[in-house]
Amino acid sequence: LAGDAEGLVIDPASSPARVILPRQLIERMLESVDETLAVKTLLVGERTDATPAAVVDALTRAPLWAAVGRSEEGAPLGLAEGRAEDGSRYLEVASHPLEIVAAARSDQPVPITAVQLSTALARDEKLTGIVVDPRGPGIRLSRAELAPLLALATAPGE
């Protein structure tokens, strides 16, 4: 970005699979990135028994995005949910807004704080947890694993 390039072409010889990233998109990507890449670093790293707790800890500090959309025309906006094969529900959150855009759904990325996420989970006890970066590499975290995050929830009306 220090130069005058209009953007970046990734794998230009692989038409039609090449990717063209305009300068404005790259600038917006960098504005939204967590400079420490705390969550993404944990997600791409080796998984151990300590990984879920480390991700939850990072979620309390790192910027997060939620996928927001309407379930049907005229319905109010809501946070995107996923459903597991057993029917359990979970919220989908992302470490960067492009994680949501890449899903190519009608949802829009919206910043969400750890307190807002915690409050959303606290208000609906039927939500079994969250999935961070569902398009991968991601992690599904249960309510029990999210206890430190859930402790941040604000009481209704605050």
Side-chain angles (χ1 to χ4, degrees), residues 60-135:
T60 65
R61 298 183 312 282
L64 300 172
W65 282 262
V68 175
R70 298 184 198 292
S71 58
E72 56 188 50
E73 188 66 35
L77 288 173
L79 297 176
E81 292 183 12
R83 289 194 188 267
E85 288 182 17
D86 64 5
S88 59
R89 297 171 37 230
Y90 52 86
L91 291 178
E92 296 180 359
V93 296
S95 61
H96 192 278
L98 285 181
E99 297 282 346
I100 295 166
V101 173
R105 302 186 319 203
S106 61
D107 298 325
Q108 297 297 310
V110 174
I112 186 170
T113 66
V115 171
Q116 290 170 322
L117 176 59
S118 174
T119 301
L121 288 164
R123 288 185 177 159
D124 187 347
E125 292 186 13
K126 293 182 181 175
L127 289 167
T128 60
I130 66 173
V131 171
V132 182
D133 291 349
R135 273 136 294 294

Side-chain angles (χ1 to χ4, degrees), residues 8-89:
L8 176 68
V9 179
I10 299 174
D11 203 4
S14 67
S15 181
R18 70 176 160 251
V19 176
I20 301 172
L21 300 173
R23 180 184 192 90
Q24 289 176 323
L25 177 61
I26 297 168
E27 290 170 345
R28 287 185 53 206
M29 288 169 37
L30 292 175
E31 288 171 6
S32 303
V33 74
D34 170 15
E35 291 183 18
T36 66
L37 296 173
V39 174
K40 193 51 101 175
T41 299
L42 291 165
L43 296 179
V44 300
E46 181 181 345
R47 299 293 173 109
T48 69
D49 292 343
T51 301
V55 171
V56 172
D57 180 58
L59 292 176
T60 65
R61 298 183 312 282
L64 300 172
W65 282 262
V68 175
R70 298 184 198 292
S71 58
E72 56 188 50
E73 188 66 35
L77 288 173
L79 297 176
E81 292 183 12
R83 289 194 188 267
E85 288 182 17
D86 64 5
S88 59
R89 297 171 37 230

